[in-house]
Amino acid sequence: MTQSEQGEAAISCTGVVKRYGAVEALKGVDLSVRPGEIFGLIGANGAGKSTLIKLLVGTARATAGSVRVLGMDPLRQAGQVRSQAGYMPQAPALYEDLSPRDNVRFFGGAHGVPDLTQRTEEVINFVNLRGRADDAVFGFSGGMKQRVSLACALVHRPQVLLLDEPTAGVDPKLREAFWQHFRDLATAGTTLLVSTHLMDEALFCDRVAVMRDGAVLVSDSPKALLRRGRTRVSVWCGDERQSETLADYPSELPGLLRRRGLEDSVTRIELDEDTLETVVLELINEREAVHA
Amino acid sequence: MLRRTVLVALRALRQLRHDHRFLALSLVAPVLVIYLLKLFFDSVENPVFKPQQFVVPVGAFIVHFLTYVLCMIVLVRERTAQTLARMFVNGFRRSEIIGGYLLAYSTLATAQSLLVLVELNWLFDLAFDTSRFVSMYLVMWLLATISMALGIFVSNFALNEGQIFPFIPLVTLPSIFLSGVVVSVEKLPEWAQLLGRLTPLFYANRMVQALLAGGGLSDDWGSLAALPVYGGVVLLLATLTLREVD
């Protein structure tokens, strides 16, 4: 990554290594997130996503490499970075004997939010907890705690949002609402770095980095990643099926149909595209075959 | 800075208000233990033995023990729930977090010390006049506050609730055996005397003994000054060792 690219990026990591004793949690991570972008960190548990986010919020120190948030060092310029960054950790990290309203007001108060009462109600409404705003968090389900945690991360209107598995345990309807809100925030200029282990959530992101064993396997837009996949075309002539695999079906399908002449006997054409998960699995297999 | 310190204190107090069991245990436990102490001393049939010499220092030890352990648990709970990390990420500084906790829990220590002293005075017919009662209370309150600081400091070395337990006897046993509450410090080996001086109860006990002997706070300025100095040093160490970054 060039210096100018690093300067323009809302978030940048260059050659980031993090070791915990003998364990290398991050093995030279490079990535750059543009302002106003939703960037997904995709990977299984233990891939290094949470460690990377901890470095970005300044609760962990990189063993080697450089980390920048809005062009600033999260450790040396902790005060400035933290006032402009919102962080939602993987664990709810809430005061469970207090209510969602108390939790949001506490973290919002730390940032000196000027219209704290109004803003607290806004974020409580957004996470759909108005009816439970004064109940102790203790009795809440995992998904409800996630919603309170997200409200705490949003309360001070941060410029950069670092969300570690924000939709874990959240029902599909609310998950859709979360992503819609993330999109609205990005449109308004907020930069979002969202980690998830759910491949289908990558499709909500502008770009993603697929992480495995502390390294970035690939970083691209979800569409570009999907283009790496293949499509199996099955042409049915009555009960007889003929299948062919195409690398780029939008450009190759017309040729296939021309070759077949699209006879009257063709009764059905099925397209079976690789999912993002299959594409990523292929990438992992390719990488492991190279290293084997 | 003060705004965020007050925020932490108000939040901790709100938590205390909601946690009825914790609050009840913090206030009822010392009262109950002192009542048991009364039953014990009543059964000692020795005309030479004067329980008054022991009960106030032992009462001070109970307050020291409880505030130290409770503060340690609360801070370790913050760490394991990851709310401590979240506070840092939201801009709270180490001194603001520690100051806030000290402010909030000193209200509990104030009530605890008062309860203990009133009960001791009543159960053991200590018949303190107002001036002596206030002096005793000041010593006990200072000890409780220092014990909280000590709890915060030691909690920085425990990564989870399970690791708290080895730290309890490590601090409280030298306190009770080497501070002069049970045996005179002068009868201990020199190294043990030095160790005794590292416990806050050593200075509190000297103050209590001077007050019981009819003296005033001004009779032992050294011990009186040692308590806030001890507290300040422990607070400084607690602030320096509170880990913000992994």
Side-chain angles (χ1 to χ4, degrees):
Chain A
M1 195 185 305
T2 65
Q3 254 190 333
S4 77
E5 275 176 333
Q6 203 177 36
E8 287 161 15
I11 297 168
S12 68
C13 300
T14 314
V16 174
V17 175
K18 176 65 184 172
R19 284 191 205 99
Y20 292 103
V23 178
E24 200 166 41
L26 293 175
K27 301 167 179 170
V29 170
D30 290 304
L31 61 84
S32 170
V33 182
R34 299 176 199 124
E37 184 176 41
I38 302 182
F39 193 96
L41 282 179
I42 318 287
N45 291 340
K49 308 184 300 288
S50 298
T51 306
L52 187 61
I53 292 178
K54 281 180 186 170
L55 297 180
L56 293 169
V57 294
T59 56
R61 191 187 303 275
T63 311
S66 143
V67 176
R68 291 285 181 275
V69 175
L70 298 169
M72 295 178 282
D73 186 322
L75 287 174
R76 289 194 188 133
Q77 292 155 292
Q80 286 159 278
V81 171
R82 287 167 178 182
S83 68
Q84 295 179 63
Y87 169 52
M88 178 180 167
Q90 198 171 1
L94 298 167
Y95 296 103
E96 298 208 355
D97 32 12
L98 299 183
S99 67
R101 190 171 275 134
D102 287 336
N103 273 281
V104 172
R105 284 188 68 87
F106 175 64
F107 290 112
H111 293 282
V113 174
D115 53 343
L116 186 57
T117 306
Q118 189 194 328
R119 180 63 183 157
T120 301
E121 296 316 306
E122 274 174 24
V123 290
I124 294 269
N125 284 344
F126 163 65
V127 295
N128 205 10
L129 278 171
R130 196 167 45 179
R132 304 288 302 271
D134 291 315
D135 294 349
V137 173
F138 182 71
F140 284 13
S141 67
M144 285 166 82
K145 287 176 188 172
Q146 289 289 92
R147 285 146 67 182
V148 182
S149 183
L150 179 62
C152 293
L154 291 172
V155 65
H156 61 294
R157 301 181 180 92
Q159 228 178 305
V160 172
L161 259 177
L162 302 149
L163 310 174
D164 199 354
E165 305 260 1
T167 55
V170 172
D171 73 77
K173 200 165 178 293
L174 191 68
R175 192 155 71 111
E176 195 189 349
F178 270 21
W179 280 103
Q180 183 54 52
H181 188 71
F182 297 162
R183 179 54 61 195
D184 293 344
L185 288 168
T187 306
T190 307
T191 307
L192 289 97
L193 182 84
V194 186
S195 83
T196 177
H197 63 275
L198 302 170
M199 281 296 167
D200 59 323
E201 293 199 329
L203 299 170
F204 295 118
C205 303
D206 297 313
R207 287 191 305 137
V208 296
V210 179
M211 293 190 72
R212 185 171 164 82
D213 294 335
V216 174
L217 211 59
V218 65
S219 178
D220 217 328
S221 70
K223 274 187 184 169
L225 281 179
L226 278 170
R227 276 200 294 272
R228 293 175 184 231
R230 291 166 191 278
T231 306
R232 277 157 298 283
V233 181
S234 301
V235 179
W236 294 79
C237 297
D239 291 339
E240 189 195 336
R241 187 181 75 164
Q242 289 183 356
S243 295
E244 210 168 313
T245 303
L246 306 178
D248 179 16
Y249 94 85
S251 61
E252 291 178 28
L253 188 60
L256 171 76
L257 295 176
R258 268 197 300 274
R259 280 201 308 281
R260 294 198 57 85
L262 203 66
E263 294 158 4
D264 287 346
S265 58
V266 173
T267 52
R268 185 182 172 89
I269 298 174
E270 284 179 1
L271 299 176
D272 179 17
E273 285 183 82
D274 274 353
T275 61
L276 200 56
E277 195 155 356
T278 319
V279 174
V280 169
L281 202 63
E282 277 290 312
L283 278 167
I284 293 169
N285 290 338
E286 279 171 27
R287 193 64 60 95
E288 285 178 353
V290 169
H291 289 290
Chain B
M1 179 181 166
L2 188 67
R3 182 178 59 85
R4 281 197 286 244
T5 305
V6 171
L7 259 178
V8 176
L10 290 176
R11 191 262 301 153
L13 282 173
R14 197 169 291 129
Q15 281 183 284
L16 264 180
R17 210 182 61 210
H18 284 90
D19 197 344
H20 299 139
R21 197 174 300 183
F22 184 88
L23 201 60
L25 264 173
S26 312
L27 298 176
V28 173
V31 171
L32 199 69
V33 173
I34 284 168
Y35 179 69
L36 293 175
L37 209 64
K38 164 77 175 158
L39 296 182
F40 169 74
F41 281 124
D42 281 352
S43 65
V44 177
E45 289 173 2
N46 185 340
V48 190
F49 179 68
K50 290 182 185 165
Q52 285 81 354
Q53 297 293 317
F54 289 92
V55 289
V56 182
V58 170
F61 170 75
I62 291 164
V63 170
H64 161 64
F65 176 84
L66 281 171
T67 46
Y68 163 70
V69 173
L70 291 178
C71 239
M72 201 158 55
I73 289 170
V74 167
L75 262 292
V76 171
R77 207 163 56 179
E78 281 262 13
R79 183 169 293 113
T80 52
Q82 295 184 33
T83 46
L84 189 63
R86 195 166 200 162
M87 273 203 279
F88 283 130
V89 172
N90 281 279
F92 287 100
R93 295 198 186 104
R94 290 186 286 190
S95 54
E96 292 165 347
I97 295 169
I98 289 177
Y101 263 103
L102 208 62
L103 208 60
Y105 279 79
S106 61
T107 57
L108 188 64
T110 302
Q112 215 175 38
S113 312
L114 191 65
L115 262 177
V116 165
L117 206 56
V118 168
E119 191 187 7
L120 284 172
N121 203 23
W122 174 57
L123 283 181
F124 293 93
D125 296 320
L126 298 176
F128 292 145
D129 56 27
T130 312
S131 148
R132 185 141 312 159
F133 187 90
V134 170
S135 301
M136 285 285 190
Y137 181 67
L138 180 70
V139 173
M140 213 174 268
W141 184 85
L142 269 173
L143 178 68
T145 311
I146 293 164
S147 307
M148 287 190 315
L150 202 59
I152 295 171
F153 170 57
V154 176
S155 75
N156 292 340
F157 303 97
L159 296 176
N160 53 55
E161 278 97 336
Q163 289 183 7
I164 291 175
F165 294 99
F167 288 111
I168 296 174
L170 196 71
V171 169
T172 54
L173 290 183
S175 267
I176 191 77
F177 293 122
L178 308 178
S179 63
V181 172
V182 179
V183 287
S184 173
V185 179
E186 288 71 34
K187 290 178 183 167
L188 294 168
E190 223 166 281
W191 65 267
Q193 286 186 33
L194 280 174
L195 206 59
R197 283 172 189 274
L198 293 177
T199 68
L201 198 58
F202 172 83
Y203 305 99
N205 181 54
R206 278 173 60 155
M207 293 301 306
V208 168
Q209 294 301 343
L211 289 168
L212 286 172
L217 285 177
S218 55
D219 290 357
D220 189 358
W221 278 110
S223 295
L224 186 63
L227 283 172
V229 170
Y230 190 105
V233 170
V234 171
L235 271 182
L236 185 70
L237 289 173
T239 309
L240 293 175
T241 52
L242 183 62
R243 208 164 51 173
E244 189 176 341
V245 178
D246 281 336

